[in-house]
Amino acid sequence: MAIERTFSIVKPDAVANNKIGTVVATLEAGGLKILAQKMIRMTEAQAKEFYAVHKERPFYGDLVKFMTEGPCVVQVLEGDNAIARNREIMGATNPAEAAEGTIRKLVGTNIERNACHGSDAADTAKVEIGFFFGGAELAALSR
Ligand code: CDP
Ligand code: MG
């Protein structure tokens, strides 16, 4: 299997609920390395652009509000098959449908406030990482 990088967010609900550690521990226990990590407050402009793919969906406005309501933690994860592996560790979008032991089952509240984001493919992972992390920043952290 190939070593990949993927982009991850500990969303504002999980940060507010003191679950950063639970999310990080679940990612690490699942075999992913935290290559880079920082706490930010997403601006409205950033949230709108980050989720632009959903701009026609009815939940877009509420999603932008949610993602900007408080700090979140943005991360670059690395590991074997990291993109798909992270999606497995996160669980289904709706916490009510997420498998036991997944982050969204453990920490998520509802289909919007679902604790974490993970890139869905290699091309989106690359774009999303570049949206929040500079190349030199990542090079300095590579191990
Ligand atoms: O995050 P994921 O890729 O699993 O799901 P998505 O379909 O790409 O949706 C992005 C995010 O929008 C979700 O993680 C939820 O926070 C939010 N969402 C929502 O608020 N209501 C929905 N019906 C679907 C998604
Ligand atoms: Mg998605």
Side-chain angles (χ1 to χ4, degrees), residues 55-118:
K55 67 174 181 290
E56 308 302 337
R57 310 283 293 277
F59 59 80
Y60 180 66
D62 284 343
L63 178 59
V64 168
K65 248 189 230 157
F66 163 51
M67 293 302 293
T68 57
E69 75 179 22
C72 65
V73 177
V74 291
Q75 304 168 314
V76 180
L77 310 179
E78 189 171 80
D80 270 340
N81 215 12
I83 298 164
R85 181 75 190 116
N86 182 42
R87 300 281 309 188
E88 274 176 24
I89 296 167
M90 289 198 304
T93 304
N94 186 348
E97 290 163 12
E100 288 300 329
T102 62
I103 293 170
R104 283 165 165 173
K105 178 72 174 189
L106 285 167
V107 176
T109 300
N110 58 40
I111 195 166
E112 175 187 84
R113 306 177 72 82
N114 60 2
C116 53
H117 166 86

Side-chain angles (χ1 to χ4, degrees):
M1 267 190 283
I3 296 286
E4 291 176 338
R5 287 181 182 181
T6 192
F7 177 71
S8 165
I9 305 176
V10 185
K11 291 182 176 178
D13 59 324
V15 173
N17 292 332
N18 283 356
K19 298 297 183 188
I20 298 171
T22 302
V23 174
V24 169
T26 308
L27 293 170
E28 290 184 337
L32 296 174
K33 284 193 185 308
I34 313 282
L35 185 78
Q37 171 169 274
K38 59 190 172 190
M39 188 174 281
I40 64 161
R41 178 74 177 264
M42 212 180 277
T43 65
E44 188 182 334
Q46 282 177 319
K48 281 182 168 165
E49 188 178 340
F50 185 78
Y51 280 118
V53 66
H54 295 306
K55 67 174 181 290
E56 308 302 337
R57 310 283 293 277
F59 59 80
Y60 180 66
D62 284 343
L63 178 59
V64 168
K65 248 189 230 157
F66 163 51
M67 293 302 293
T68 57
E69 75 179 22
C72 65
V73 177
V74 291
Q75 304 168 314
V76 180
L77 310 179
E78 189 171 80
D80 270 340
N81 215 12
I83 298 164
R85 181 75 190 116
N86 182 42
R87 300 281 309 188
E88 274 176 24
I89 296 167
M90 289 198 304
T93 304
N94 186 348
E97 290 163 12
E100 288 300 329
T102 62
I103 293 170
R104 283 165 165 173
K105 178 72 174 189
L106 285 167
V107 176
T109 300
N110 58 40
I111 195 166
E112 175 187 84
R113 306 177 72 82
N114 60 2
C116 53
H117 166 86
S119 308
D120 59 7
D123 56 343
T124 48
K126 195 164 192 259
V127 170
E128 291 175 359
I129 289 169
F131 198 70
F132 290 103
F133 292 92
E137 189 179 4
L138 286 183
L141 296 170
S142 293
R143 45 192 167 145

